[in-house]
Amino acid sequence: MPHGDIEQQEHERRPGEGTSESRASHAEYRPDPSEVAYERDLAQAERVLDEQRRLAAADSFRHLPGLAHASAEAARLLAGHPRRYEESAGVYAEAVVLYRRLAAAEPRLYLPGVAKNLYGRSVVVGMLGRRAEARDLAREAVELYRGLAEREPDCLPELADAARGLGGQLAELGRHHEALELMREAVAIRRGLVRPATGSGRAELDSALGDLGVALAETGRADEAVAVLDEALAGCRARAVAATVTDRGLHWAVAVAAADALTRAGRMREAAPYLTEAVALHRELARISPGYIALMDDVMGRHGYRLTPAGRAERLGGPHPPSAPPTPDLALRERVARLNDDGLALARSGSLDLGAGLLGDAVRLGREGLKTDPDLVPALVLALGNLALATAWAGRRTEALEAADEAVDLCRRHLATRPDVLRPLLAAGLDSLGNRLAALGRHADAVAPAAESAALHRQLASVDPRAYEGELARVLNNLSIRLCDADRHEEALEATREALDLHRGLYRADPGEHRAGLVHVLANLALRLARVGRHDEVAAPALEAADLLGEPTRFEPRDDVAALTESLGWLAGHLKRHGRRHEARAVGRAADGLRTRKPPRPG
C-alpha cells in the first residue's frame, strides 16, 4: 500500500493564575462545613485517627490496617472543607504510605487502597493549584486501577473516576488532546456500567459526559461539545422528579457548560435556553441547599458568567471598567525573544539538545512573565512552537506534543484580546499539533487540529493571499496526510487536489521558490490515487513530479527529501507492476537522483 507521504513541515517561528477546577462534574456537591452531620462525622473521624495512631505506635503490626483505614476516612472528610485542604492532602499522603506498606505483603487486598488514596490526594492537591503534582498522583492511580480492573472488573468505576480526574488535571495544564483521550475512556467505561432497566449508573455517565463536553468546548469543538452535553442533560432531565441535591448540581453544571460552549463559538442565541435552565436550577439549589451558592457562583465565574441582582445570567467583562494595564517588563520580553532566536538557531545547526534547552528557558521565563504582562502571549506561543519543533527533531515526541498542545491552548485562551496576532499563530500551531499527534501514532486525533488549521488558513488567505496562500497550500497537503493515515482516503484525495491547485498558482508566479512544494504535492496526489484504486491516473502526477526534478530544485531544510525519495521509489514500483514501464523508469531515475543529494539540516 502507498506509504512515505511527504509532509511539509511547519515553519519555525520568530517573534516580529493558577487556574481552578473547571470541569462540569467538579460542581458535584461537597458537604457544607456548617452542617451538623458533617462536623460530627469529621470530629469522630479525627478522634478515631488519633486513637489508631496511638495504638499503632505501641503495636504497628497489629494496628497498621486500622490506622490506614482511619487515615483514608479522615482525609476524605477533611477534603470537604476548603480551609482544610492542606490537612487533607497531608493525611492522604499518610494513608498512601500506610497502604503501600500493607500492599507489599498483600497486594490483592491493599493495592486498591493505594490507588484510592493516590486519587483522593490528587483531587485535593489539584484544588490547591498544584497541577503537576496532582497530575502525577492521578497518573499513578490510573495505572494501578488499570491493572486492578483487568483482574477485578469491580474496579472499573474507580478506573473511570481516576481517568476523568487525570484528564481534568491534564486539561488544566493545557494538554487537551491527552485529556480528551482519558475522558472518552471514562465515558466508555461508564456507558458500559449503565443498567437500562433500572437506570443504575446513568448519573455517573452523565457526570463523565459533562467533563468530556467541557474539554471539547475548550478545544474549540462546539458542535461536538454540545452534542455530548445534550446527552448528559437528557439524563439529568429524566431524573428531575426524584433528583437529589447532587443530581441537581450536576444538571446545573452541565447546563452552564453547554451555554459556555455555544458562547465561545459566538452562538449567543443558541446559548440562551441553556442559561435560562441553569438560572432556574441555581434558584432551586440556593433554596434547598444554601451552602451550594458559593460553589455555583465560583463555577459560573470560571465559565464567564455572573448572576445579576435580578437573577439573570450576565457575561462577565461587559459593564465593568477595565483595570489599568501593568507596566511591561521590556527587558524580560527581549530576553525571551533572544532565548527563542538562539535556541532555534542552535537546533537548526544540529545542536538539538542545547537548542531545546534554551527554548525551554524561554518558555519558563515567558510563563512567569505572563503573570504580570499579558502582552507576552505571542512571544510565549512562538517559543512553545519552536520548542515543539526542536524536541520533535530530537526524537522527544511526547515533549513535542506537550509544547504544541500548550501553544494552541494559550492562543485559544487569549485569542479575543489580540486576534490579529494570535489567529495566524493559532493556525500554525494547530498544524504543528496535528503533526505531533501523528508522530505518536494518534492519527484519528490528528485530523481535527489539521482540519481546523486549514480552515483558519483559508480565512487568512482570503484576506491576504500573498501572505498566506503558500501556508494554506502546505497545511492542506498535511491535512491530506492526516486524513489518509486515518483511513479517510476520498477526503484525503480532495484535500490534495485543493493543495495542488494552490501550488500550481504559486509555481507559475515563482518557479524557483515553489518547485519543491509542487513536486511534493504531485507525488502525494499520485499516492492518493493509487490508494483509492485509480491506477490509470497515477502515472500523470508521478511523471510530472519526476520531470520537475529534472530542473534545479532547491529544497528547504524543512522539506522531507527522504520521504519524497521513498514515495517516488514506491510509485516507480507501482507503475511497473501496472505495465507503465517507461514512466516507471523516469520516476525511478528521479528517486535515484534524490538519493545522491546531501540531506538538509533539520528545519
Side-chain angles (χ1 to χ4, degrees):
M1 57 181 271
H3 55 86
D5 293 289
I6 313 101
E7 195 164 296
Q8 292 176 274
Q9 297 297 321
E10 64 269 23
H11 290 288
E12 64 274 8
R13 304 186 206 147
R14 302 177 185 274
E17 201 24 323
T19 55
S20 301
E21 303 292 336
S22 61
R23 312 298 104 194
S25 60
H26 288 161
E28 291 171 1
Y29 177 66
R30 289 183 176 275
D32 180 359
S34 67
E35 293 178 1
V36 174
Y38 167 70
E39 294 291 357
R40 183 187 64 233
D41 291 347
L42 177 56
Q44 175 65 14
E46 290 182 301
R47 283 194 295 272
V48 171
L49 178 57
D50 288 341
E51 176 65 11
Q52 288 296 325
R53 283 172 174 159
R54 185 184 63 78
L55 292 170
D59 187 347
S60 64
F61 180 79
R62 180 179 177 185
H63 293 287
L64 197 61
L67 177 57
H69 176 77
S71 298
E73 180 64 7
R76 182 185 70 82
L77 288 165
L78 284 165
H81 200 311
R83 289 189 294 276
R84 302 189 72 176
Y85 284 160
E86 283 287 4
E87 289 177 77
S88 175
V91 179
Y92 266 128
E94 179 183 355
V96 169
V97 170
L98 294 168
Y99 275 105
R100 285 196 201 278
R101 288 176 60 187
L102 291 164
E106 297 185 75
R108 187 181 183 87
L109 191 59
Y110 292 110
L111 266 181
V114 178
K116 180 178 180 179
N117 287 281
L118 280 167
Y119 176 58
R121 186 162 190 258
S122 77
V123 172
V124 176
V125 167
M127 296 298 287
L128 290 167
R130 287 147 47 189
R131 300 290 173 200
E133 183 183 355
R135 172 202 60 200
D136 294 342
L137 291 163
R139 195 183 296 282
E140 185 179 357
V142 167
E143 289 170 358
L144 285 172
Y145 276 129
R146 286 198 204 287
L148 291 165
E150 287 179 4
R151 300 187 298 272
E152 302 284 349
D154 287 348
C155 290
L156 282 171
E158 287 80 7
L159 172 57
D161 288 344
R164 284 173 60 197
L166 176 56
Q169 300 301 344
L170 289 166
E172 294 293 345
L173 289 165
R175 294 168 59 181
H176 292 289
H177 286 80
E178 190 176 353
L180 284 173
E181 193 174 346
L182 285 156
M183 290 176 184
R184 287 192 172 108
E185 178 186 2
V187 166
I189 293 170
R190 283 297 182 184
R191 203 181 291 285
L193 294 171
V194 172
R195 296 184 179 178
T198 64
S200 172
R202 178 64 211 217
E204 291 79 6
L205 171 60
D206 294 337
S207 185
L209 286 165
D211 276 8
L212 176 58
V214 170
L216 287 165
E218 288 174 345
T219 59
R221 305 180 192 184
D223 288 337
E224 193 177 350
V226 173
V228 168
L229 293 166
D230 274 341
E231 183 184 353
L233 282 169
C236 292
R237 290 165 185 153
R239 292 190 302 277
V241 174
T244 65
V245 170
T246 300
D247 288 333
R248 287 187 176 94
L250 173 63
H251 188 172
W252 166 82
V254 174
V256 172
D260 182 50
L262 290 163
T263 302
R264 283 171 182 262
R267 294 155 61 180
M268 311 298 187
R269 187 182 299 275
E270 294 173 71
Y274 295 100
L275 275 178
T276 301
E277 185 173 5
V279 169
L281 288 161
H282 187 286
R283 290 196 193 98
E284 178 67 8
L285 282 162
R287 183 182 64 79
I288 62 177
S289 183
Y292 218 101
I293 295 174
L295 174 64
M296 290 191 293
D297 289 347
D298 179 57
V299 172
M300 286 194 79
R302 283 189 250 118
H303 281 288
Y305 296 100
R306 70 183 180 94
L307 282 181
T308 68
R312 292 190 299 272
E314 176 180 87
R315 196 72 178 165
L316 289 172
H320 305 290
S323 56
T327 303
D329 186 341
L330 298 179
L332 186 144
R333 290 186 188 181
E334 184 178 342
R335 188 177 172 200
V336 171
R338 186 171 64 252
L339 285 167
N340 184 39
D341 283 345
D342 292 348
L344 178 61
L346 280 169
R348 294 197 68 189
S349 72
S351 299
L352 298 176
D353 290 334
L354 285 174
L358 287 185
L359 290 165
D361 290 342
V363 166
R364 284 185 287 275
L365 196 62
R367 286 181 186 138
E368 187 63 28
L370 193 59
K371 296 175 183 177
T372 56
D373 184 0
D375 286 341
L376 265 172
V377 169
L380 179 53
V381 170
L382 289 166
L384 284 163
N386 288 334
L387 178 61
L389 283 172
T391 48
W393 299 338
R396 292 151 53 182
R397 294 177 177 178
T398 300
E399 293 174 66
L401 174 59
E402 291 174 4
D405 211 352
E406 184 180 348
V408 167
D409 178 62
L410 197 62
C411 285
R412 289 196 195 283
R413 285 192 282 117
H414 295 273
L415 184 61
T417 62
R418 305 251 334 250
D420 55 329
V421 174
L422 292 177
R423 186 171 285 109
L425 292 176
L426 175 59
L430 286 161
D431 177 62
S432 176
L433 180 58
N435 295 342
R436 304 289 80 81
L437 287 163
L440 287 166
R442 294 170 59 181
H443 300 300
D445 288 338
V447 171
E452 188 178 355
S453 175
L456 284 171
H457 275 99
R458 284 192 191 97
Q459 294 174 14
L460 293 166
S462 69
V463 175
D464 190 348
R466 176 172 291 187
Y468 292 107
E469 270 193 354
E471 281 298 286
L472 174 57
R474 184 184 63 78
V475 300
L476 281 167
N477 187 54
N478 288 347
L479 172 60
S480 76
I481 297 170
R482 303 287 83 83
L483 288 163
C484 185
D485 289 342
D487 293 326
R488 294 164 61 174
H489 299 294
E490 291 294 342
E491 294 171 82
L493 178 58
E494 183 180 348
T496 305
R497 290 194 186 282
E498 186 180 354
L500 178 59
D501 288 343
L502 288 166
H503 272 292
R504 288 198 189 284
L506 293 165
Y507 176 72
R508 284 193 294 270
D510 189 344
E513 180 69 20
H514 295 288
R515 182 177 287 107
L518 181 56
V519 168
H520 280 304
V521 76
L522 283 164
N524 280 347
L525 176 60
L527 293 173
R528 300 287 165 271
L529 291 164
R531 191 67 178 80
V532 298
R534 294 163 65 171
H535 303 297
D536 290 344
E537 299 176 49
V538 171
L543 192 58
E544 185 179 354
D547 289 344
L548 285 167
L549 286 170
E551 300 293 327
T553 304
R554 184 178 76 253
F555 288 98
E556 296 294 331
R558 68 177 186 274
D559 290 323
D560 194 342
V561 178
L564 176 60
T565 305
E566 182 184 6
S567 293
L568 291 172
W570 186 91
L571 287 166
H574 177 86
L575 290 166
K576 184 177 181 180
R577 289 191 297 274
H578 286 80
R580 307 294 293 267
R581 295 182 178 277
H582 172 73
E583 293 91 340
R585 284 194 293 272
V587 174
R589 284 195 297 271
D592 291 340
L594 286 177
R595 289 190 185 96
T596 65
R597 284 178 175 264
K598 183 178 179 181
R601 292 185 181 277

